[in-house]
Amino acid sequence: MYHSVSFVMFFAIYLLLSSAIYKLVNKRALYPLHMLQLEGYNESEYRAWIRANGEKIKAFRYKPTSEKTPLVMTDRATRLYKVHCHLNAALIGASFGVAVVLWKEHAALSGIVFVILCLLIGYFQYAILIYANRINYPREMKINQGFYDAAQKKVRDLKEKGLQVVGITGSFGKTSTKFITSTVLEEAFVVQNTPSSYNTPMGLSKVINNELDEKDEIFLAELGAKEPGEIAEVAELVQPSIGIITAIGPTHMHLFKTIENIQKTKYELIEALADDDIAIFNYDNDYVKPLADKTKKRTIRYGMEDIEKLDVYAKDIAVHERGSSFTLGFKDKGEVKAETKLLGKHNISNLLAAASVGYVLGMEPEAVARGIKKVEPVEHRLNIVDGGTGIIVIDDAFNSNPVGARAALDVLGQFEKGKKIIVTPGMVELGDMEEEENYKLGKEIAGVCDVAILVGKKRTVPIQKGLMDAGFGEEKMIVAKNLDEATASLGHVAAVGDVVLFENDLPDSYDE
């Protein structure tokens, strides 16, 4: 009788413990789910993140890394989380079963083994998620294929009714160019574009299925890729008749390995165009120029150099603290004065990409110039934030690249009053070029800035070396552990009239 009562008590206590542990491990699972989502549910990239983030894995509580890209419980994330929870339930149930078997022989050992097994389940949530993702993968692929097929058919049907699809790709400038082009084309057309950085098959399928309709005359589709073949897949979905390559440079080099691989991947957009479609190229970019020159389809070249070779160009450029002005030229259509609120020459290049689409679609230079004047800066992409403190903030926090970083420093250099302060962790995802490019960045910062606040003691070593080799005083350099510490330091050095450039923001999944 006593033995029976003891077993009932044991069973009830362990059942309560199992329930509590189940809730705890499922809560802990949110952080790895967040990281897997940030890595696009890609197992190899998620595994690389795990290898690089031992300290975060040891933490037993979930803490969102940033408000910039929080965990979003999409339908896919919800389905994956449920599978993960079922795996946790099965593992905890198995641990409970082991404890029951052991209790009959040794009650104390039963408790010890149960606790150890539950701790292991909690610790290995990161690994358990990999298996949950594998289990969920076939279902997701089937769902995705259904969305993809429906979106592809919808685009095909709408194109037969006159829809023009513009595909935009490049190492950088895609999102800015998309929003700029939308504003410019709205002077003459009904335009639908994709929000934010929606540039994957599923992101584009969602917009096409839910938002694109018969009233739209132009669909602007941003095409992104992290490996060869992905642009071709997205192009097959959106079926562009106009393709733009904005720029090519050393971004995501840890994935692409070489510039040649990036060129080949971006050119998949041009290869997807029909023979009578139109390819638009940034002819100022050294890596885009040869792609334009080898293209047999009708090509439109834009830029600010070698104007005699261009179809759309800008000249007489004047860049100032609050924007830019220039002469916009269309080959065979004349020139017009244009003004913009955007900062930096690289944004003029993005404006020219938009102007090239207008040119192809028959817009007059004056209409394009009106659209250019209405373009607003894209958040976190070299836009001025004036919070009324007397300190001007230039926000260029979106993931940086060497061309964009130099453009941002050029803009900072245009300000004549007050100290020029940069807050930056440097550039990431440049592969083998990262250390060299950050060293160069340090030397360039030294030529513009009065104070440099660097985020990350280890990762900014190349920038520190570049600064010192350029003669930048060590007393003007602040190396902070994280952004919070950097912001606190900024509060001590910035004064009314100063200009602060926030250049780049580390990915949410990044850690030293």
Side-chain angles (χ1 to χ4, degrees):
M1 178 69 180
Y2 173 76
H3 190 78
S4 175
V5 171
S6 297
F7 181 76
V8 170
M9 289 178 63
F10 152 81
F11 194 90
I13 290 168
Y14 275 37
L15 196 62
L16 287 171
L17 281 173
S18 297
S19 177
I21 290 163
Y22 176 73
K23 290 178 182 177
L24 286 171
V25 296
N26 287 345
K27 188 173 183 181
R28 174 167 159 75
L30 290 170
Y31 187 76
L33 177 62
H34 188 182
M35 295 303 103
L36 181 63
Q37 186 178 72
L38 290 174
E39 300 298 350
Y41 301 97
N42 183 294
E43 182 179 320
S44 62
E45 291 186 35
Y46 174 68
R47 283 180 175 274
W49 180 87
I50 290 175
R51 289 193 294 271
N53 289 272
E55 289 302 315
K56 288 188 176 183
I57 289 170
K58 291 174 186 175
F60 262 72
R61 64 191 184 92
Y62 171 63
K63 183 181 179 182
T65 55
S66 171
E67 290 302 316
K68 185 182 70 171
T69 48
L71 172 64
V72 180
M73 290 305 293
T74 61
D75 290 343
R76 178 171 185 173
T78 301
R79 287 189 292 268
L80 176 56
Y81 187 59
K82 285 181 180 177
V83 172
H84 189 105
C85 291
H86 289 327
L87 282 179
N88 284 337
L91 290 168
I92 293 169
S95 301
F96 183 83
V98 170
V100 169
V101 171
L102 287 174
W103 185 86
K104 295 175 181 178
E105 302 296 330
H106 200 303
L109 180 62
S110 167
I112 292 169
V113 170
F114 182 69
V115 169
I116 290 171
L117 288 174
C118 288
L119 284 172
L120 288 172
I121 292 168
Y123 183 80
F124 284 106
Q125 285 300 292
Y126 292 81
I128 293 168
L129 182 62
I130 291 173
Y131 291 99
N133 195 43
R134 289 180 184 177
I135 292 168
N136 204 48
Y137 184 80
R139 181 185 182 189
E140 293 303 326
M141 291 305 98
K142 186 176 181 180
I143 291 169
N144 289 352
Q145 191 62 49
F147 288 141
Y148 184 99
D149 292 343
Q152 190 179 51
K153 181 180 184 302
K154 187 174 184 180
V155 172
R156 189 182 302 117
D157 292 344
L158 290 174
K159 284 189 71 176
E160 289 178 0
K161 297 176 182 178
L163 178 71
Q164 289 270 15
V165 180
V166 181
I168 303 169
T169 194
S171 299
F172 39 88
K174 297 185 294 294
T175 304
S176 295
T177 296
K178 175 180 66 181
F179 288 126
I180 290 167
T181 303
S182 179
T183 301
V184 169
L185 295 186
E186 281 167 2
E187 291 295 305
F189 303 98
V190 178
V191 183
Q192 177 62 253
N193 63 26
T194 53
S196 188
S197 296
Y198 272 48
N199 54 27
T200 63
M202 286 307 97
L204 286 162
S205 294
K206 182 178 180 180
V207 174
I208 292 166
N209 287 327
N210 296 341
E211 298 181 33
L212 193 65
D213 58 40
E214 292 185 4
K215 76 175 186 305
D216 296 315
E217 298 173 285
I218 310 290
F219 177 48
L220 302 176
E222 177 183 343
L223 282 62
K226 290 187 176 179
E227 59 184 48
E230 289 186 344
I231 295 289
E233 180 186 5
V234 184
E236 189 177 346
L237 167 66
V238 301
Q239 305 153 64
S241 51
I242 299 171
I244 307 171
I245 299 182
T246 61
I248 289 174
T251 58
H252 300 302
M253 290 297 285
H254 64 304
L255 300 172
F256 284 107
K257 308 303 182 186
T258 67
I259 287 286
E260 289 74 22
N261 284 339
I262 298 175
Q263 287 178 299
K264 181 180 178 182
T265 302
K266 302 306 179 187
Y267 198 71
E268 290 170 7
L269 169 58
I270 308 305
E271 292 173 328
L273 299 173
D275 290 340
D276 57 347
D277 289 337
I278 300 164
I280 299 174
F281 298 94
N282 175 4
Y283 209 63
D284 288 345
N285 184 276
D286 290 337
Y287 298 116
V288 175
K289 187 179 292 187
L291 301 182
D293 289 342
K294 77 173 187 178
T295 300
K296 303 302 181 186
K297 301 176 175 76
R298 181 188 169 192
T299 61
I300 300 295
R301 296 167 169 82
Y302 68 86
M304 293 166 270
E305 305 165 10
D306 299 327
I307 286 175
E308 67 281 356
K309 299 179 182 178
L310 304 176
D311 301 282
V312 177
Y313 57 86
K315 66 178 186 180
D316 306 325
I317 298 164
V319 178
H320 49 86
E321 293 179 359
R322 298 286 179 168
S324 312
S325 61
F326 57 95
T327 299
L328 171 66
F330 282 3
K331 186 178 180 181
D332 305 327
K333 278 197 171 187
E335 298 176 344
V336 65
K337 286 290 182 183
E339 295 180 0
T340 179
K341 301 170 190 173
L342 304 186
L343 300 169
K345 281 194 173 182
H346 73 299
N347 268 323
I348 294 179
S349 182
N350 295 336
L351 290 165
L352 290 175
S356 297
V357 181
Y359 174 74
V360 164
L361 296 175
M363 290 178 69
E364 294 301 318
E366 291 78 11
V368 172
R370 284 197 305 273
I372 286 172
K373 193 168 185 177
K374 293 177 183 177
V375 171
E376 295 290 336
V378 179
E379 190 177 18
H380 305 311
R381 289 173 171 86
L382 209 59
N383 61 295
I384 287 182
V385 179
D386 194 341
T389 62
I391 299 171
I392 296 172
V393 174
I394 303 174
D395 180 1
D396 196 36
F398 195 79
N399 217 17
S400 186
N401 59 79
V403 173
R406 291 186 190 100
L409 286 171
D410 285 343
V411 169
L412 184 59
Q414 298 293 322
F415 288 80
E416 297 177 354
K417 298 177 182 178
K419 295 192 300 293
K420 300 178 185 68
I421 305 168
I422 187 170
V423 181
T424 184
M427 295 172 282
V428 296
E429 300 179 344
L430 298 184
D432 294 338
M433 302 173 67
E434 187 169 303
E435 186 172 338
E436 180 188 356
E437 289 295 336
N438 278 315
Y439 172 78
K440 290 178 184 177
L441 177 63
K443 297 189 84 169
E444 288 160 357
I445 288 171
V448 175
C449 297
D450 300 298
V451 178
I453 302 176
L454 308 180
V455 184
K457 295 181 184 295
K458 288 186 289 185
R459 70 154 291 98
T460 60
V461 167
I463 304 176
Q464 297 171 42
K465 190 173 187 304
L467 283 164
M468 289 186 286
D469 286 354
F472 195 79
E474 198 168 341
E475 73 283 358
K476 298 189 294 181
M477 188 192 329
I478 299 169
V479 183
K481 184 172 66 175
N482 51 43
L483 185 58
D484 288 341
E485 192 175 295
T487 304
S489 298
L490 179 62
H492 294 302
V493 299
V496 172
D498 291 347
V499 187
V500 181
L501 168 64
F502 281 88
E503 179 59 27
N504 195 16
D505 186 11
L506 292 173
D508 278 356
S509 58
Y510 184 88
D511 191 11
E512 288 196 334

